[in-house]
Amino acid sequence: MAEKVEPPNGTWHKGKHYYTMWQTVFEIDTKYVPIKPIGRGSYGVVCSAINRETNEKVAIKKINDVFGDKIDAMRTLREVQLLRNIRHENVIELKDVMMPVYVNSFKDVYLVYELMDTDLHQIIKSPQPLSSDHCKYFLFQLLRGLKYLHSANILHRDLKPGNLLINADCELKICDFGLARTKNNEQLMTEYVVTRWYRAPEILLSCDNYGSSIDVWSVGCIFAEILGRKPIFPGKDYLNQLKLIMSVLGTQTDADLEFIVNHKGRNFMKSLPYSRKKPFSTLFPQAEPLAIDLLQRMLVLDPSKRITVNEALHHPYMSSLFDPKVNPSAPYALNMEIDDTMEEPLIREMMLREMLYYHPHAAYDFY
């Protein structure tokens, strides 16, 4: 539980109070009253809290020493910038980024999100049965949120069950945008992206020009995991990952491998022993035929032949849920490239500008 404490340096600051949870001190605005810690990662700790001004429950994520690692700082800045520009019911809402006491020397960042009950990873590994309607509704919401992101020019690039938050009423929201990029980014190919089990073949094979189809592959892996209650391609390393994929999809024709511009990658694929395609209907005998049909259109090796998010929403499997008239695209495409060569002072200044968006009356002079 949250325990109120003295400030670490003994100095109280106006508008702030202090709590400790899981040996972590939270210096937060007095309008937030923590309830309990609910998650932990390499970044720090997340707690649930109540906003006393609105009486709503929120999640507060403390990112420790955000500038201690430049990659972490850039991920945080990207997520904050992106979520400020995105409003969709299937994307997590960032409600606040707290102002620090010392603008020139702050180390920690506190992000305030809407509070969700659990995530899809926890649901999949639980003994709770999932009806075909549950499966369909989770997939529909994921596709719906993704359609909005893709129409805003955003690739999520790290879709996995743990990044899909769920409420008790089965409402789903996409979260964790630290790896997201706009589609025209020159740096797309240079980075290690997407948790391996959900990583598209074109990334594993070092293809130069990938696009929104990488998210569709991840959705296919997630859908298969919902249907089968276990990961479909749990690779131990990237070569093993490719072998697992081919053991299910079967040996491909030369035409199906043409998209692999990397000669080493194409030769590796051709060197694999012949394998017969495993029918998805055999792997997921409980699934309805339309679910199987949609899944096999998502998990296609060649990205140019993979179904798009929009086509997936128009698939007959989605017909009971999808209404094109109430599933709009984003009003405009985003272009929010951050220069990866930026140094800490500029990252700090840009982070402060994001904070001021939520606190326009905070009278701080950056310079």
Side-chain angles (χ1 to χ4, degrees), residues 36 51 80 91 100 111 115-116 173 206 212 244 252 295 304 338:
K36 62 180 180 183
N51 179 338
V80 168
V91 175
L111 307 179
L115 182 66
M116 301 290 283
K173 292 179 191 274
S206 306
S212 48
L244 284 180
Q252 307 285 297
L295 179 62
S304 69
I338 296 173

Side-chain angles (χ1 to χ4, degrees), residues 130-132 135 227-228 280-289 291-292:
L130 290 177
S131 68
S132 57
C135 298
L227 294 172
F280 285 125
S281 54
T282 306
L283 292 175
F284 307 105
Q286 315 300 325
E288 55 187 278
I292 295 295

Side-chain angles (χ1 to χ4, degrees), residues 162-177:
N163 285 344
L164 304 174
L165 303 180
I166 310 282
N167 263 344
D169 61 0
C170 295
E171 185 181 30
L172 177 148
K173 292 179 191 274
I174 302 168
C175 74
D176 198 343
F177 287 84

